[in-house]
Structure formats: structure tokens, C-alpha cells
Amino acid sequence: MIVSSKGRYALIVMIDLARHADEGYIPLREIATRQKISEKYLESILRELVKNGLLSGIRGKGGGYKLMRSPEEYTAWDIISVAEEGISTVACLEMNGRVHCPNAAACDTLPMWKDFSKTIHEFFSGYTLAELAKIGA
């Protein structure tokens, strides 16, 4: 399993917004400048986070982005799984652990891959956005 730059940046942006949550809507340009991420690339990531209900976004003067909930209510899993459009350890497993392989009944390794997927989910779910925002602050 590899978390792409999109997943890493989504987490970084959410941490940035958590650290600046008391400032209201934060303009895209400010986030991009602080995090040294291209505005164009960042815009595509933020669009997904808004579409999936993790952020609120307003266009125009006074606009920007802000968290929809308190930082304690988000986990790293919530953010990464949205940005990555699902996290799967092997091609035969979907993000929610469902199997979509015609050979699943005869697969000797499937239980191991399911356990591995569960471990990854539990690991990322064990970190809240609030905790991550405090780590580097």
C-alpha cells in the first residue's frame, strides 16, 4: 500500500486548517503558500474534501476553506481514504473490506489480506486531526 502525494497533501492541508480553525475561512493561496503546494494541485484536493463533507468552501472575497467539524472528530483514516478514493492492500479487496474476486473462496491468502487491511484502518483511525495538529506545532 502506498499513500500518494494526494493523500499526504490532503492530510497536511487538514492539519493546517485545524491549526487555523479559529480564523474562519482560510484562502487557498494562504494554505498553498504555508505548505508550499501548488495552488492548482491543492484546489483539486480541496474540491474532493468539500465534495465529501470534510470541508466547507466559499468562493470570492472573504472566501476560503474551513473544517466542517472540530479537529477531534476527524481521523487520519477519514481524510486519507477520501483523498485516495479508498485504500486497499490488494486489488481483490475494496476499501470497505468486500471481496470482488472470483477465486475468493479458494484463496489461501485472503484472510491475511483482510487482517492487514483491518490493521491499516485501525492504525490511521487511531490518529485524530487534533492530535496531528499538536505534533508539529
Side-chain angles (χ1 to χ4, degrees):
M1 181 202 98
I2 295 176
V3 176
S4 71
S5 61
K6 187 175 180 182
R8 292 190 325 270
Y9 289 163
L11 197 53
I12 288 167
V13 165
M14 293 291 284
I15 291 169
D16 184 277
L17 289 169
R19 288 182 178 149
H20 297 274
D22 60 341
E23 298 172 26
Y25 284 92
I26 308 297
L28 171 73
R29 178 166 284 148
E30 283 184 28
I31 302 165
T33 300
R34 273 195 300 265
Q35 300 306 323
K36 298 174 180 62
I37 302 172
S38 151
E39 284 185 44
K40 186 173 176 93
Y41 188 45
L42 186 57
E43 188 172 23
S44 71
I45 293 169
L46 289 167
R47 190 176 313 116
E48 283 299 310
L49 295 171
V50 168
K51 184 174 106 177
N52 284 280
L54 299 180
L55 294 178
S56 173
I58 295 179
R59 293 183 180 268
K61 186 175 172 88
Y65 298 88
K66 72 175 187 174
L67 301 178
M68 294 287 291
R69 307 184 303 255
S70 72
E72 293 80 13
E73 296 179 66
Y74 294 90
T75 66
W77 175 261
D78 297 333
I79 300 159
I80 294 170
S81 63
V82 163
E84 294 292 332
E85 297 174 17
I87 297 174
S88 182
T89 53
V90 290
C92 62
L93 286 178
E94 293 179 1
M95 182 176 93
N96 60 9
R98 287 189 304 195
V99 179
H100 61 91
C101 174
N103 300 321
C107 181
D108 294 328
T109 62
L110 186 58
M112 176 188 68
W113 295 121
K114 282 183 171 183
D115 283 348
F116 185 48
S117 291
K118 181 181 173 191
T119 299
I120 290 170
H121 178 270
E122 289 171 355
F123 176 82
F124 285 127
S125 294
Y127 287 90
T128 68
L129 187 55
E131 292 167 334
L132 293 170
K134 288 178 187 173
I135 290 172

